[in-house]
Amino acid sequence: MRILFVGILVILFSLSGQGQKRDIVYNASLSGFVSTQKTLPFWAVSNRHGLMPNGNGTLLELGLYSDFTNKHKIQFAYGISAGGYLSRPGNKIILDQLFASARWRNLRLDLGMIHPEEQYNGVSSTNGDFVRSGNSRTFPGYNLRSEFIKVPLTKGIIAFKFNWADYMMIDDSYMKDIRLHNKSLYVKIKPHHRLEIIAGLEHWAQWAGKHPTLGKQPGSFSDYSRIIFAEGGGAGSTVSDSINALGNHLGREHLRINYLADNYILSFYHDIPFEDGSGTDFRSFPDGTYCFYYGSKNPEQWISDVIYEFYYTKYQSGSRHDRPATPDEIAKQDPNSHFYGRKVLGGCDNYFNNGEYANGWTLYGQVIGSPFMTPGLSGNLIRIINNRVIAHHIGIKGMAWKTTPYKLMLSYSKNYGTYKDKFNKDQFSGALEVTLPFHNLPFSVETGIYGDLGKLFKDNFGFTVKLSRKGKLLK
């Protein structure tokens, strides 16, 4: 991992020393936050890339980024950002982003730690991705990805894009040195210049690492091929990985339909999460995210963006993964099978949790995917304690009086815990963020009001003030 960071720094210095003209963008901000509880309200800390501490205090953020140059066929960009906070949970300095990127035609390679790109202009509760929302800190690695590439002989009607990535999870988790594999493939069909239909599949897998009691997990190249194709484990794998698939696999099936008007876009998307085969073959229906979005091309409207997202993750392909087999079912089974005497139902998907990778789909104690999937202490470990959820989310963005940008987030959820540990708790969380129209100041002033009301979190009211400045350094 040190070699990766050193390599990125070398690339950054070499790029910054090039004589070609490029724009360097900087930003700096200082935030103060206070609440009526020791922790901050839900929307004050969610989807902040893991930078916001969950307690009263202050946060300083600094960032420096370059754009892509167009002098050569292969274009380069880079960036670095960090945050430091003083708060009740403790003081800390966090390396947020450190990356170098190369772009050639429709292909791009990102090396290092980088935020996922913002979708739906920031009003979505999951950034349009149930599995990776931007809620947690970044992880180091590489990501080779493409823009949509038109398929020859289809007159531009059919196009596809993909990504292939590998990362390291470097937090202090139950298992150490966990590797992370990611890939996706999306197909876009555009039968009319105003209509787009996009469908795709995204796959993530946690693998390798050191288990505190089971020891080092399989991490060879042949094991990597098993991870790619979600095959069962070989020598050295656990019984669970031998029966099912090596590592912890999860992902989403995605459908998006866009109507492209001259001055706005209308969009519908549907994410179907999966943890195993029962999710990929739609046995988990009606689980998933259902979204409707309106986005104007004029950001100075009173309402420029509106989103409604509905979440349902309560079913999870049923309450049981298997049951005792009937005599007729046993007669048809292989006596050497690990499931001899059992009938596999494929239920209890238990989103974002796993047996061997006991912290599940979390990083530094924060869920990587939808923030409605709630992490918490279970025994002595942080894992997802609430993944059976029915939730409604409304996000609105615009500019009041053409001078005052604002964003409103309103969420209501019914939370049922997990199949193993059930509860029933309603929750409302809201946020109103406003950039004040102090145009004569050398920095912008942003304020936020946040609130929680319900049984999942303590009733809480919070307030933030953020002073920020952005600019360009021409080179």
Side-chain angles (χ1 to χ4, degrees), residues 383-397:
R383 63 177 73 235
I384 303 301
I385 60 172
N386 175 47
N387 57 21
R388 300 182 64 233
V389 176
I390 301 174
H392 305 266
H393 170 76
I394 295 174
I396 302 174
K397 197 171 187 178

Side-chain angles (χ1 to χ4, degrees), residues 79-91:
I80 183 171
S81 64
Y85 60 75
L86 302 173
S87 72
R88 287 184 180 180
N91 307 328

Side-chain angles (χ1 to χ4, degrees), residues 31 94 100-101 106 108 122 169 191 207 216 229 253-254 256 266 301 328 330 367 371 384 387 409 411 427 447 471:
S31 304
I94 296 173
S101 299
N106 288 323
R108 173 169 171 169
M169 302 184 72
W207 68 293
K216 188 175 181 180
F229 297 104
E253 296 170 307
H254 181 76
R256 180 172 176 176
L266 294 177
Q301 290 185 175
D328 289 341
I330 292 175
V367 63
I384 303 301
N387 57 21
M409 305 276 276
S411 305
Q427 182 64 43
T447 62

